[in-house]
Amino acid sequence: MDEALDGDLGALVDRIPEGWSRVMIDGQSWAVTRTTHAQGGALSLDIERLGTAERFGANVWITSQGPVLRPCEVPEEMILRFLRSAAAADH
C-alpha cells in the first residue's frame, strides 16, 4: 500500500466506526460492519454492496508491530481499495 497516498492500515480501519454503517462510494450504497474482538486485539470487517449479492470481509489483527490484514477469500487489494474509498467518502 502506498502510505503517502492512502494512509496506513490502522488509520484506514480507524475511520470505520464500530457496528453497522452505510457509506456511498461512486454512487453506490455499501454497508460495513466492524466488530472488535479480544479487548481490541482483533477486529472483523463484513462488507456488502447493498442491493446486490456482492459481499466480502477481512480480519485485522492488532500486533505489537502494527495491524495485520487477513482478507477472507478475496485479494488484499480489494479490502484496501474499499477502505481507501470509504475513508474518502462521507459516512
Side-chain angles (χ1 to χ4, degrees):
M1 175 171 26
D2 184 342
E3 291 184 35
L5 296 175
D6 303 308
D8 64 70
L9 176 60
L12 291 171
V13 170
D14 285 346
R15 298 285 308 256
I16 304 296
E18 185 73 16
W20 188 92
S21 59
R22 181 184 299 224
V23 62
M24 291 296 290
I25 299 173
D26 295 329
Q28 298 194 10
S29 191
W30 290 81
V32 58
T33 302
R34 174 186 167 154
T35 306
T36 301
H37 308 279
Q39 292 87 30
L43 61 94
S44 59
L45 299 170
D46 295 305
I47 302 159
E48 67 177 300
R49 185 165 40 152
L50 298 175
T52 74
E54 185 174 3
R55 297 181 65 114
F56 51 94
N59 295 301
V60 179
W61 299 342
I62 310 304
T63 71
S64 61
Q65 297 171 338
V68 176
L69 180 62
R70 296 287 186 224
C72 301
E73 300 180 6
V74 295
E76 183 176 288
E77 184 54 38
M78 189 171 189
I79 302 296
L80 294 172
R81 185 171 38 251
F82 174 83
L83 291 173
R84 290 176 194 130
S85 297
D90 290 327
H91 289 269

